[in-house]
Amino acid sequence: MFETLQTMPADAILGLIAEHRDDPRPEKIDLGVGVYRNAAGETPILDTVKKAERRLLDTQTTKSYIGTAGEPTFNAAMQAMTFAGVVADDRLVTIQTPGGSGSLRVAAGMLLRAKDAVTVWVSDPTWANHIPLLGGAGLELKSHPYYDTRRHVIDIDGMLETLRSAPKGDVLLLHACCHNPSGLDPSEDEWRAIADVVVERELLPFVDIAYQGFARSVDGDNFIIRELASRVPEMIVSNSCSKNFGLYRDRVGSLSHLCADTATRDAVSSQVNNYVRTLYSLPPDHGGAVVSMILNDPEWRAEWLDELEEMRGRLRRMRVLLNDALVEKAPDHDFSHLVRANGMFCFLGITPEQVERLKSDFGIYLVDSSRINVAGITEDNVGYLSDSIAAVL
Ligand code: LMR
């Protein structure tokens, strides 16, 4: 049977992990997959996570099943962090999921349980895996303008104009903060204008929040979620704890449905739990238990917020460092958009051929679109990096 299957190309983002690992050049730099790195180029386990893991090891008494929705204390804490009390919790249902991707996939299945054919509007560009993940689940995807590649700004007028012609009932996927791949987020006024169109066109907002805490703060990065939750009857939110808790491989995320009323909430709750049962049965527990311990302990939570601030600050400093180096080494080119972006990503704004030359001639790995993960920049490698970029321009 399997002889009918063809070999697939490597994943555009995850494929870079192996390519970089197998490159023998000592000066190589990994600006590919979105993982945080510290000044030494390492992806450390957060201190608060280590502490919680130790306590978990000491106090956990069973590995028995919990349930399709995962750990209730985790779900309550994630719901509070996401919606900040803007809506009554009798309209919300939150479940623990295997990472943000698992959350997106369950949301796609729920949309198709609610309606036979669903169109989802995504930004052009969006996270490379949004399209196969949501499209592969059976949703129809359409894109709206987002990134103006010439001026390196958000094409907010183009976005709003396109969405004003979206049919009522279509779904709009939004990145709450740290837009992946551009790093450019709407201002609060622009978010309000987007929310106006959502309300006017009766679109269903589907918010992906994978980097909460990496742009402004945990409480600032959910601005659009709070804005929409106070104005629309229904919405979906997918969270990831991969980045803000550094729990990448433990697969921790959540999925929330905001429903028009309590009766609908109850139906959605039974459907989502039933759907999970048919898909993967139950989410993994370990990472969720760790997050729950941290968020539910005021002292640990404060320590985690400090660790998050440290990561956020380093990402900002690395953007400035690279831009400053490029001002000097490539004075005919403008890279100032690097410092206007949030979180891990931004585009260098170079061609796929130049990206390929960075890889082949200099051992510098980034996504073909020229998206870089600024966490891969260090004080030690920024000189080599900026020289290499200047050389391929
Ligand atoms: C990224 O965009 O690099 C991350 O979200 C990791 C991934 O799964 O693609």
Side-chain angles (χ1 to χ4, degrees), residues 11 13-14 32-35 101 127 129 180 211 243 345 371:
D11 182 83
I13 298 174
L14 298 182
V33 68
V35 294
S101 296
W127 177 44
N129 203 32
N180 183 0
Y211 296 85
K243 328 281 169 167
F345 306 120
R371 185 196 83 167

CSV table of all heavy atoms in Angstrom, one decimal, residues 11 13-14 32-35 101 127 129 180 211 243 345 371, ligand 1:
chain,number,residue,atom,x,y,z
A,11,ASP,N,10.2,20.2,6.0
A,11,ASP,CA,9.4,21.4,6.5
A,11,ASP,C,10.2,22.6,6.4
A,11,ASP,O,11.4,22.7,6.7
A,11,ASP,CB,9.0,21.1,8.0
A,11,ASP,CG,8.1,22.2,8.5
A,11,ASP,OD1,6.9,22.2,8.2
A,11,ASP,OD2,8.6,23.2,9.1
A,13,ILE,N,10.4,25.3,8.0
A,13,ILE,CA,11.0,25.8,9.2
A,13,ILE,C,11.7,24.8,10.0
A,13,ILE,O,12.9,24.9,10.3
A,13,ILE,CB,9.9,26.5,10.1
A,13,ILE,CG1,9.2,27.6,9.4
A,13,ILE,CG2,10.5,27.0,11.5
A,13,ILE,CD1,8.0,28.3,10.1
A,14,LEU,N,11.1,23.6,10.3
A,14,LEU,CA,11.7,22.6,11.2
A,14,LEU,C,12.9,22.0,10.4
A,14,LEU,O,13.8,21.5,11.0
A,14,LEU,CB,10.7,21.5,11.6
A,14,LEU,CG,9.5,22.0,12.5
A,14,LEU,CD1,8.6,20.9,12.9
A,14,LEU,CD2,10.0,22.7,13.7
A,32,GLY,N,16.7,30.2,12.3
A,32,GLY,CA,15.5,29.6,11.7
A,32,GLY,C,14.4,29.4,12.6
A,32,GLY,O,13.6,30.4,12.9
A,33,VAL,N,14.2,28.3,13.2
A,33,VAL,CA,13.0,27.9,14.0
A,33,VAL,C,12.9,28.9,15.2
A,33,VAL,O,13.9,29.3,15.8
A,33,VAL,CB,13.0,26.5,14.4
A,33,VAL,CG1,14.1,26.2,15.5
A,33,VAL,CG2,11.7,26.0,15.0
A,34,GLY,N,11.6,29.2,15.5
A,34,GLY,CA,11.3,30.2,16.6
A,34,GLY,C,11.5,29.6,18.0
A,34,GLY,O,10.5,29.3,18.7
A,35,VAL,N,12.8,29.5,18.4
A,35,VAL,CA,13.0,29.2,19.9
A,35,VAL,C,13.9,30.3,20.4
A,35,VAL,O,14.7,30.9,19.7
A,35,VAL,CB,13.7,27.8,20.1
A,35,VAL,CG1,12.9,26.7,19.7
A,35,VAL,CG2,15.1,27.8,19.4
A,101,SER,N,-0.2,24.3,18.2
A,101,SER,CA,-0.7,23.6,17.0
A,101,SER,C,-1.8,22.7,17.2
A,101,SER,O,-2.8,22.6,16.4
A,101,SER,CB,0.5,22.8,16.4
A,101,SER,OG,1.5,23.7,16.0
A,127,TRP,N,2.1,32.5,9.5
A,127,TRP,CA,2.9,31.4,9.9
A,127,TRP,C,2.9,30.3,8.9
A,127,TRP,O,1.7,29.9,8.5
A,127,TRP,CB,2.5,30.9,11.3
A,127,TRP,CG,3.3,29.7,11.8
A,127,TRP,CD1,4.6,29.6,11.8
A,127,TRP,CD2,2.8,28.6,12.5
A,127,TRP,NE1,5.0,28.4,12.4
A,127,TRP,CE2,3.9,27.8,12.8
A,127,TRP,CE3,1.5,28.2,12.8
A,127,TRP,CZ2,3.7,26.5,13.4
A,127,TRP,CZ3,1.3,27.0,13.5
A,127,TRP,CH2,2.4,26.2,13.8
A,129,ASN,N,3.1,27.3,8.8
A,129,ASN,CA,2.3,26.0,9.1
A,129,ASN,C,0.8,26.3,9.3
A,129,ASN,O,0.0,25.3,9.4
A,129,ASN,CB,2.9,25.4,10.4
A,129,ASN,CG,2.5,23.9,10.5
A,129,ASN,OD1,2.4,23.2,9.4
A,129,ASN,ND2,2.3,23.4,11.7
A,180,ASN,N,3.8,36.4,13.3
A,180,ASN,CA,4.7,35.5,12.7
A,180,ASN,C,4.4,35.3,11.2
A,180,ASN,O,3.3,34.8,11.0
A,180,ASN,CB,4.6,34.1,13.5
A,180,ASN,CG,5.6,33.1,13.0
A,180,ASN,OD1,6.4,33.3,12.1
A,180,ASN,ND2,5.5,31.9,13.6
A,211,TYR,N,2.8,34.1,21.5
A,211,TYR,CA,3.9,34.8,22.1
A,211,TYR,C,3.5,35.8,23.2
A,211,TYR,O,4.1,36.8,23.3
A,211,TYR,CB,4.6,35.5,20.9
A,211,TYR,CG,5.2,34.6,19.9
A,211,TYR,CD1,4.4,34.1,18.8
A,211,TYR,CD2,6.5,34.1,20.0
A,211,TYR,CE1,4.9,33.2,17.9
A,211,TYR,CE2,7.0,33.2,19.1
A,211,TYR,CZ,6.2,32.8,18.0
A,211,TYR,OH,6.7,31.9,17.1
A,243,LYS,N,6.7,29.2,23.9
A,243,LYS,CA,7.7,30.3,24.0
A,243,LYS,C,7.7,30.9,25.3
A,243,LYS,O,8.8,31.1,25.9
A,243,LYS,CB,7.4,31.3,22.9
A,243,LYS,CG,6.7,30.8,21.6
A,243,LYS,CD,7.7,30.1,20.7
A,243,LYS,CE,6.9,29.4,19.6
A,243,LYS,NZ,7.7,29.0,18.5
A,345,PHE,N,10.5,37.5,15.5
A,345,PHE,CA,10.7,37.5,14.1
A,345,PHE,C,10.7,38.8,13.4
A,345,PHE,O,10.1,39.8,14.0
A,345,PHE,CB,9.6,36.6,13.4
A,345,PHE,CG,9.6,35.2,14.0
A,345,PHE,CD1,8.4,34.8,14.6
A,345,PHE,CD2,10.7,34.4,13.9
A,345,PHE,CE1,8.3,33.5,15.1
A,345,PHE,CE2,10.6,33.1,14.5
A,345,PHE,CZ,9.4,32.7,15.1
A,371,ARG,N,12.7,35.5,6.7
A,371,ARG,CA,12.3,35.6,8.1
A,371,ARG,C,13.5,35.2,9.0
A,371,ARG,O,14.1,34.2,8.8
A,371,ARG,CB,11.1,34.8,8.5
A,371,ARG,CG,10.7,35.0,9.9
A,371,ARG,CD,9.7,33.9,10.4
A,371,ARG,NE,10.5,32.7,10.9
A,371,ARG,CZ,10.0,31.7,11.6
A,371,ARG,NH1,8.7,31.8,11.9
A,371,ARG,NH2,10.7,30.7,12.0
B,1,LMR,C1,8.3,29.1,14.2
B,1,LMR,O1,7.5,29.7,13.5
B,1,LMR,O2,9.5,29.0,13.9
B,1,LMR,C2,7.8,28.3,15.4
B,1,LMR,O3,6.4,28.6,15.6
B,1,LMR,C3,8.1,26.9,15.4
B,1,LMR,C4,7.2,26.1,14.4
B,1,LMR,O4,6.6,25.1,14.8
B,1,LMR,O5,7.2,26.5,13.2
